[in-house]
Amino acid sequence: MPSTSSLKQMKVAELRSLAMSTLPEVPSNLSKMKKADIIDLFQVTSSSSSSSSSPSADTYKYDSSEVDPYSDVRSRLESLAAHSAANPPPEHHITLFAAFTTYLGYAVLICVGHLRDFFGLTLSIGSRYVPATPRTGCAPLLKSWDNFYNRRLYHRIQDCFNRPVGGGEGAKCRMKVMERVSYDGNKTMTVANRKTNKNTQFQDGEYNETDAEGDVVRRCLNLGSYNYLGFADDWNETCEEDVLSTLSVAPVSCSSPRVEVGTHLLHRELELLVARFLGKDDALVLNMGFNTNATTIPALVQKGDLIISDQLNHTSIVSGARASGAAVRVFKHNDHHDLDAVLREAIVMGIPRTRRPWNKIVVMVEGIYSMEGEYCNLKNIVEVCKRYGVYLYLDEAHSIGAMGKTGRGCCEYTGVDTKDVDVLMGTFTKSFGGMGGYIAASQDVVDYLRTKCAGSIFHNSLSPIVCQQIITAFKVIMGEDGTKNGRNKLRALRDNSNYMRMRLTDMGLHVLGNYDSPIMPVLLYNPTKIAAFSRECFKRGLAVVVVGFPAVPILMSRARFCVSAGHTRKDLDDALVKIEEVADLCKLRYARSTFG
């Protein structure tokens, strides 16, 4: 197969001729062929080297010609990272005062909400609520509690979520967020516009400005996105030439599933690159990260199989497990001893009622848990899986490209051979600046999934242009672009993450997760502090993510900071000064005081 650079230089006719010469002759009875035959027909195969070009093992070290922005705290950062790698993250227990005020806050909101509904229905006072009457013979379309929660709790703070972005500023990790106003008690939000609303309370200043359409935008430092390696910031320098030049030789979309006519040369190049990067036989790329789990898991396990899932696994894994028809057991988060006990019981007791052995057992874990900032206790979990002879499925959505000295994810970071993990799943939406996901496994597993996975059979294939973006990002990370950009990005991400975590911890905040993880959740606990923290950070030009119930347990509301390789130390220092102000204002220093 020709290289990507040579593909871009070829004319369209030449590329089409190359593609047709690579594929076998299309038979006239194509419509009557079986799916497996169609896949064999249109799959473009190529040999690949089992070894991969990777940066030096000294990825994190600075050369004598380079300036270390964290030289003054380097020894402490390395000490904290080493301690975190050898020990589980510290547990933060909610204080009695914080628990009481949290429950009290929810109780007040619920009571006031019910009172407003009562007076609205009986006296038509205030915000009137008219319950929907289901059609005769039909169940209610919406659950009453969900309806109540949205109207009386969520709507009060919905300005903190789903904020529309008005574009970037051209500087690294900077973004413009649209200012919104509400004229109906926060039930609906409208973008503030000075042309249509002369009475808007927003004035141009340090953070606010008006764009050409009259919309009010706020200039913010981005502390909430998954742009781990910063490809969204320096795309013009790292990826633009390759991606835009591909537009002349490849379609924007194949408009077809992979098993029909949706497999392009770039799909196979990307799959072989992923397989080489991870040391697997082959890979399958799909067009959506969430659906990679949601459609692959039902293809791998069915009724009569058993899934043993980590307690805090992502919703995509939960959705896939529920759709599979397999039985599901849960083990305590990151606890290999509990996994051992669950596996032993499952093997001894077998399928309920019949006591027959399970057809197969699959353990499912994540590389980095996105709401906890913790990485997987992978080495011990692999040992348990080997002991009982069960399969292991690893979701590396947040860890691939962000962990390990060469960005190869949780396996590299924890010293586990990828051959000891049966199925490696990951996404391209975080570190690679693209979209979609992949499954990397043995040749038999990948070939099976091509014919059985709904994401391969029914969904449109990944855009070839996006494939080129991901291929270019991979080559930057692997150093195959002839530069040290990948090495520098990996090092900057690690340093920025560890520095941010260290400073947040020094403030006396309850910070979850491990060092070397780019995700830093800070516990807020009280529901009123969700809105207060988000709004106060937004006023100070910080775009942050806050999370509350039901996405997390009712007592564990939090803010989640995500750090990028594109941040500079000055960016982080400026942000930390503002976060400290907000922490004092919202009383969040629970590590120092019972009352925050």
Side-chain angles (χ1 to χ4, degrees):
M1 179 180 292
S3 65
T4 306
S5 58
S6 61
L7 274 175
K8 290 180 293 188
Q9 297 172 0
M10 296 175 68
K11 296 180 181 179
V12 176
E14 294 173 346
L15 182 66
R16 185 179 293 114
S17 175
L18 171 65
M20 295 308 298
S21 66
T22 309
L23 299 174
E25 183 180 355
V26 180
S28 59
N29 63 338
L30 178 63
S31 60
K32 299 179 181 179
M33 292 177 64
K34 295 180 180 180
K35 290 179 180 176
D37 297 328
I38 296 174
I39 292 163
D40 291 338
L41 175 67
F42 285 99
Q43 179 175 327
V44 184
T45 58
S46 173
S47 61
S48 64
S49 172
S50 58
S51 61
S52 59
S53 174
S54 61
S56 165
D58 297 330
T59 302
Y60 299 145
K61 293 184 179 179
Y62 284 84
D63 298 335
S64 57
S65 60
E66 298 174 317
V67 177
D68 181 1
Y70 297 103
S71 58
D72 56 321
V73 292
R74 174 60 58 190
S75 59
R76 187 181 176 203
L77 288 177
E78 296 302 332
S79 175
L80 290 169
H83 181 270
S84 180
N87 299 278
E91 293 186 18
H92 299 296
H93 299 286
I94 185 171
T95 65
L96 184 62
F97 174 79
F100 173 76
T101 54
T102 299
Y103 281 128
L104 180 63
Y106 278 111
V108 169
L109 288 169
I110 292 170
C111 290
V112 170
H114 282 303
L115 283 173
R116 293 183 69 187
D117 280 355
F118 172 77
F119 287 115
L121 285 170
T122 57
L123 304 176
S124 298
I125 297 175
S127 178
R128 189 179 181 190
Y129 161 59
V130 179
T133 303
R135 288 187 297 178
T136 304
C138 296
L141 187 61
L142 302 174
K143 293 182 179 179
S144 60
W145 166 248
D146 289 346
N147 183 290
F148 176 83
Y149 183 87
N150 282 329
R151 290 184 297 104
R152 299 306 186 192
L153 282 79
Y154 174 75
H155 281 165
R156 289 176 175 270
I157 62 171
Q158 74 162 332
D159 59 293
C160 300
F161 308 105
N162 306 317
R163 288 185 173 127
V165 176
E169 292 188 49
K172 289 189 175 182
C173 299
R174 303 282 173 174
M175 62 194 303
K176 294 179 180 179
V177 183
M178 313 294 283
E179 289 279 11
R180 295 180 295 170
V181 293
S182 178
Y183 303 105
D184 54 6
N186 237 27
K187 292 179 183 177
T188 60
M189 307 297 298
T190 304
V191 174
N193 187 290
R194 290 203 172 88
K195 293 182 180 179
T196 59
N197 180 11
K198 302 297 183 182
N199 298 322
T200 178
Q201 71 260 32
F202 300 104
Q203 301 295 326
D204 290 351
E206 182 180 0
Y207 301 113
N208 277 4
E209 66 180 37
T210 306
D211 65 13
E213 289 74 30
D215 293 330
V216 181
V217 295
R218 183 173 290 267
R219 300 182 300 277
C220 294
L221 178 68
N222 187 356
L223 291 174
S225 77
Y226 297 143
N227 178 33
Y228 295 141
L229 293 183
F231 282 110
D233 298 308
D234 59 11
W235 184 82
N236 292 342
E237 293 81 33
T238 56
C239 304
E240 179 183 23
E241 183 179 353
D242 284 355
V243 174
L244 293 185
S245 61
T246 305
L247 283 168
S248 63
V249 296
V252 174
S253 172
C254 292
S255 302
S256 174
R258 289 291 306 277
V259 298
E260 295 179 5
V261 290
T263 295
H264 190 271
L265 289 171
L266 290 172
H267 289 115
R268 284 303 296 151
E269 182 176 354
L270 176 56
E271 288 173 339
L272 295 171
L273 183 58
V274 170
R276 177 163 64 93
F277 187 72
L278 295 174
K280 286 292 187 181
D281 294 344
D282 202 354
L284 171 67
V285 298
L286 303 173
N287 72 343
M288 183 178 174
F290 188 101
N291 275 3
T292 302
N293 276 330
T295 62
T296 296
I297 294 173
L300 289 174
V301 292
Q302 295 84 32
K303 187 176 180 180
D305 299 332
L306 175 64
I307 295 172
I308 300 182
S309 177
D310 187 283
Q311 183 180 15
L312 298 182
N313 272 346
H314 190 263
T315 307
S316 59
I317 295 178
V318 176
S319 297
R322 288 175 176 172
S324 68
V328 180
R329 302 284 187 274
V330 175
F331 69 96
K332 294 178 182 177
H333 173 56
N334 245 355
D335 188 338
H336 65 284
H337 297 297
D338 190 55
L339 173 62
D340 186 288
V342 172
L343 271 171
R344 190 186 312 117
E345 180 184 6
I347 292 171
V348 171
M349 301 302 293
I351 300 174
R353 293 193 296 274
T354 65
R355 302 304 179 195
R356 293 177 179 174
W358 299 99
N359 295 334
K360 59 176 170 285
I361 300 176
V362 182
V363 175
M364 296 188 177
V365 294
E366 292 187 51
I368 294 179
Y369 293 86
S370 60
M371 284 295 174
E372 309 301 317
E374 297 179 19
Y375 43 72
C376 180
N377 182 15
L378 189 59
K379 183 171 285 189
N380 289 324
I381 288 175
V382 165
E383 182 182 341
V384 173
C385 291
K386 281 184 173 181
R387 186 184 310 150
Y388 291 99
V390 300
Y391 296 104
L392 180 59
Y393 183 106
L394 175 62
D395 177 341
E396 293 218 81
H398 290 268
S399 53
I400 190 67
M403 287 183 70
K405 290 186 176 181
T406 62
R408 283 170 169 79
C410 192
C411 289
E412 179 182 45
Y413 186 87
T414 57
V416 171
D417 192 334
T418 55
K419 293 181 176 59
D420 292 332
V421 180
D422 300 285
V423 180
L424 288 166
M425 174 269 174
T427 63
F428 304 125
T429 55
K430 280 80 176 177
S431 296
F432 304 94
M435 63 175 289
Y438 67 83
I439 295 290
S442 66
Q443 192 67 58
D444 289 342
V445 170
V446 174
D447 289 343
Y448 172 83
L449 289 176
R450 290 190 197 280
T451 64
K452 297 295 183 181
C453 173
S456 175
I457 299 172
F458 302 115
H459 296 179
N460 271 5
S461 61
L462 190 63
S463 165
I465 309 305
V466 176
C467 287
Q468 182 59 62
Q469 161 66 32
I470 301 164
I471 290 169
T472 302
F474 261 115
K475 292 189 174 181
V476 171
I477 294 170
M478 298 165 71
E480 293 183 1
D481 63 335
T483 72
K484 293 183 179 180
N485 286 341
R487 169 181 178 270
N488 294 339
K489 284 176 177 290
L490 290 164
R491 181 177 60 192
L493 175 63
R494 177 178 183 262
D495 287 348
N496 290 343
S497 301
N498 289 345
Y499 179 71
M500 184 80 169
R501 183 178 295 277
M502 179 185 73
R503 289 287 305 276
L504 291 172
T505 304
D506 290 344
M507 288 181 198
L509 307 179
H510 278 176
V511 186
L512 300 179
N514 296 92
Y515 279 83
D516 292 342
S517 166
I519 303 172
M520 280 143 282
V522 172
L523 291 173
L524 307 176
Y525 299 121
N526 198 301
T528 59
K529 295 184 180 183
I530 297 175
F533 187 86
S534 177
R535 290 166 182 164
E536 291 299 327
C537 285
F538 194 52
K539 287 180 185 177
R540 291 164 173 79
L542 300 179
V544 302
V545 172
V546 289
V547 189
F549 179 83
V552 292
I554 198 166
L555 287 178
M556 305 299 284
S557 299
R558 64 197 65 179
R560 185 179 63 177
F561 298 103
C562 294
V563 174
S564 164
H567 288 110
T568 64
R569 181 170 180 177
K570 184 179 184 303
D571 290 334
L572 298 182
D573 283 334
D574 290 345
L576 286 162
V577 170
K578 296 170 183 175
I579 292 169
E580 193 162 15
E581 292 176 4
V582 179
D584 284 330
L585 190 65
C586 298
K587 305 298 181 186
L588 297 176
R589 299 177 188 259
Y590 292 107
R592 296 183 182 177
S593 169
T594 300
F595 306 104

